[in-house]
Amino acid sequence: ANGVSSRSTPSQGAVEQVRLTRAPPVPKLDLSRVASTQDEEYVLDESFTIDAPGFQGLWSRSVSGNEVSICPAGRLAARSRSAKSAMVMGGSAYPPECGQYICLRIVEVSKSAVGALGIGFTCSPPDRSRKASERGYKLPNTAILGYWGCLVMGGLEYRLDWTAESAKVGDTVGLLATHAGDLVILVNDITVVVIAAALPDDFRINPVFPVVDLHGSTVAVELLSTRAPNLQGKPKIYPFHTMKPLLPSEMRPAPARRG
């Protein structure tokens, strides 16, 4: 039967799973925070309060891409217009035992480019990330999504029906990783994508850093320190166990600029 299981109160600083329920229940997954009204249809439970601090650190100057400029205050990052992609990474880790949330304000866009930023988290500390500082998705132990509509994790690419290409100057794009391993994309504080139970245990037991690729139409972003908002909206929900990695022949090449 459909329904929502009884709610428990998260411990202080912890983010519990964005849980789901469907009819019939998904085997081997405790998915109860999002209730379904019909078979295979998911609806967000907006009463569940998220407790995740925003990133309080600054962009790392030592591992930013060669085409990236970081403002003196350390929160505004911009790439040259000619760069196809340029990585920036947080210079410090999130506090342990809590969910992670990163929120960006779009500062400048290019209308001639295809695709948009990649936003994610990595367990690769800055001192081990310098050699791969041109592409966030090349970092080991990283989950990053967006670009031309994909999630890249563990060297594999998964198709998503979301990019930030339509984001305008002043819009915000946020990514939440819950303590149970869910990934949640928010645009202007509205939940648009939930990937349930996506992250491996590495992201719960190791220090985690934010990572962003200034790709495609995204030229400049400002790193905000706001907390994760309560989830609201009607997102596209992907139970990760149903997602299949793309074959090499199915992967999209990095898009060219518009003619």
Side-chain angles (χ1 to χ4, degrees), residues 101 103-106 167-168 170-174 186-189 224:
Y101 181 63
C103 187
L104 307 172
R105 177 182 289 121
I106 305 299
K168 303 180 296 295
D171 286 350
T172 61
V173 177
L186 303 100
V187 177
N188 295 326
D189 290 346
L224 305 179

Side-chain angles (χ1 to χ4, degrees), residues 11-218:
S11 59
Q12 185 175 5
V15 176
E16 294 196 353
Q17 188 177 10
V18 179
R19 299 178 183 174
L20 313 172
T21 294
R22 88 178 191 187
V26 179
K28 298 182 181 180
L29 285 178
D30 180 14
L31 304 174
S32 58
R33 291 287 181 198
V34 179
S36 67
T37 55
Q38 298 176 7
D39 290 356
E40 306 299 328
E41 180 180 344
Y42 297 92
V43 179
L44 194 64
D45 179 359
E46 297 182 3
S47 66
F48 182 52
T49 300
I50 291 293
D51 183 16
F55 183 65
Q56 302 299 310
L58 305 175
W59 295 127
S60 171
R61 299 181 187 275
S62 64
V63 295
S64 61
N66 293 331
E67 300 293 335
V68 174
S69 299
I70 298 175
C71 74
R75 288 191 165 269
L76 182 66
R79 65 168 172 82
S80 66
R81 285 183 172 270
S82 61
K84 293 181 180 179
S85 186
M87 189 191 82
V88 286
M89 181 177 175
S92 57
Y94 288 89
E97 301 301 325
C98 71
Q100 293 85 37
Y101 181 63
I102 177 175
C103 187
L104 307 172
R105 177 182 289 121
I106 305 299
V107 175
E108 184 179 353
V109 297
S110 170
K111 295 181 179 180
S112 63
V114 178
L117 62 79
I119 183 171
F121 301 106
T122 182
C123 296
S124 296
D127 60 349
R128 298 180 185 177
S129 305
R130 293 173 183 170
K131 292 183 179 180
S133 60
E134 292 304 311
R135 298 289 190 274
Y137 60 79
K138 292 185 177 181
L139 294 175
N141 301 316
T142 296
I144 190 165
L145 61 159
Y147 299 110
W148 45 90
C150 65
L151 162 69
V152 182
M153 185 169 63
L156 301 174
E157 182 179 330
Y158 304 83
R159 186 64 48 81
L160 289 179
D161 292 328
W162 178 82
T163 78
E165 189 174 346
S166 62
K168 303 180 296 295
V169 172
D171 286 350
T172 61
V173 177
L175 178 64
L176 168 71
T178 72
H179 195 62
D182 308 303
L183 289 169
V184 182
I185 282 282
L186 303 100
V187 177
N188 295 326
D189 290 346
I190 301 298
T191 311
V192 295
V193 172
V194 175
I195 308 175
L199 296 176
D201 289 340
D202 285 352
F203 288 82
R204 291 189 282 275
I205 61 179
N206 294 315
V208 175
F209 302 81
V211 60
V212 171
D213 265 338
L214 299 176
H215 175 82
S217 65
T218 309

